[in-house]
Amino acid sequence: MSTEIQSWLLSIEPFEGESLSHFLGRFRRQNHLSPSALGDLAGVGAVIARWERFHFNPFPSDAELAAVAEVVGVTLDRLRQMLAPEGVKMKCEPIRLCAACYQEEPYHRLEWQYQSTGGCDRHQLRLLSKCRNCQAKFPIPALWEDGCCDRCRLHFGEMTKWQKSY
């Protein structure tokens, strides 16, 4: 990537435990980029759209991650932290969240998509996989611009009252 293009990009800091999907969506919105435009800038093609949907088969190569890390302005190691550790299985669907966590800090946590995660250890609440107001499934975290249900506009943080004990 040329330094001329890189100087125009606004950087953002990843949150602790943030999923790659959510981070890439925030970065793209900040810089008015589509998934394909970000993929083109990094020279990795269409993988960005796949990664935003938690489709990591094939798993991102070091070369792909390094190219994306350069464009988004984070280290390769920091980008790797936004991926599931080796041996941890991910759930691509449904997208899940802890409304109580989201109310405290509005971002998607990677651990919510682990197959082994049944609930939030911090709040002792089960994860939600759809809006409890209108039953709409949650979109991929890359699209969580307003932090609310796409259908009824209920804020994710307000869904805490529907979470059951874990």
Side-chain angles (χ1 to χ4, degrees):
M1 179 179 71
S2 77
T3 54
E4 182 180 317
I5 292 173
Q6 192 172 14
S7 68
W8 285 96
L9 294 174
L10 301 171
S11 63
I12 61 168
E13 285 297 315
F15 296 113
E16 185 64 35
E18 183 175 20
S19 69
L20 182 61
S21 175
H22 194 261
F23 174 77
L24 291 175
R26 288 190 314 116
F27 180 84
R28 288 191 306 93
R29 280 190 298 282
Q30 182 75 21
N31 289 286
H32 306 283
L33 297 170
S34 66
S36 60
L38 177 54
D40 289 346
L41 282 175
V44 296
V47 299
I48 300 297
R50 284 194 1 252
W51 295 352
E52 287 183 356
R53 293 187 312 273
F54 297 102
H55 294 176
F56 299 116
N57 190 8
F59 197 77
S61 70
D62 284 345
E64 289 171 325
L65 289 172
V68 172
E70 181 183 346
V71 173
V72 300
V74 299
T75 66
L76 176 59
D77 285 338
R78 187 66 185 98
L79 208 56
R80 279 189 191 124
Q81 291 172 14
M82 293 182 232
L83 297 168
E86 190 173 333
V88 174
K89 295 189 184 214
M90 297 282 292
K91 252 185 132 117
C92 298
E93 293 180 345
I95 300 302
R96 303 185 300 175
L97 70 87
C98 172
C101 284
Y102 196 86
Q103 189 170 23
E104 293 171 2
E105 296 180 82
Y107 66 93
H108 183 266
R109 300 346 180 247
L110 174 64
E111 67 185 80
W112 294 340
Q113 294 307 128
Y114 294 166
Q115 282 184 5
S116 61
T117 302
C120 174
D121 290 336
R122 179 183 167 119
H123 296 101
Q124 302 302 306
L125 296 171
R126 292 212 174 275
L127 299 178
L128 299 174
S129 59
K130 61 185 173 183
C131 175
R132 294 299 189 219
N133 187 49
C134 71
Q135 305 305 307
K137 290 182 180 179
F138 297 127
I140 61 171
L143 303 177
W144 290 9
E145 186 171 1
D146 299 321
C148 62
C149 175
D150 285 348
R151 187 184 298 161
C152 71
R153 308 305 293 167
L154 181 67
H155 191 273
F156 294 152
E158 294 177 37
M159 296 181 192
T160 306
K161 61 186 170 191
W162 285 292
Q163 284 184 276
K164 295 181 180 176
S165 294
Y166 173 63

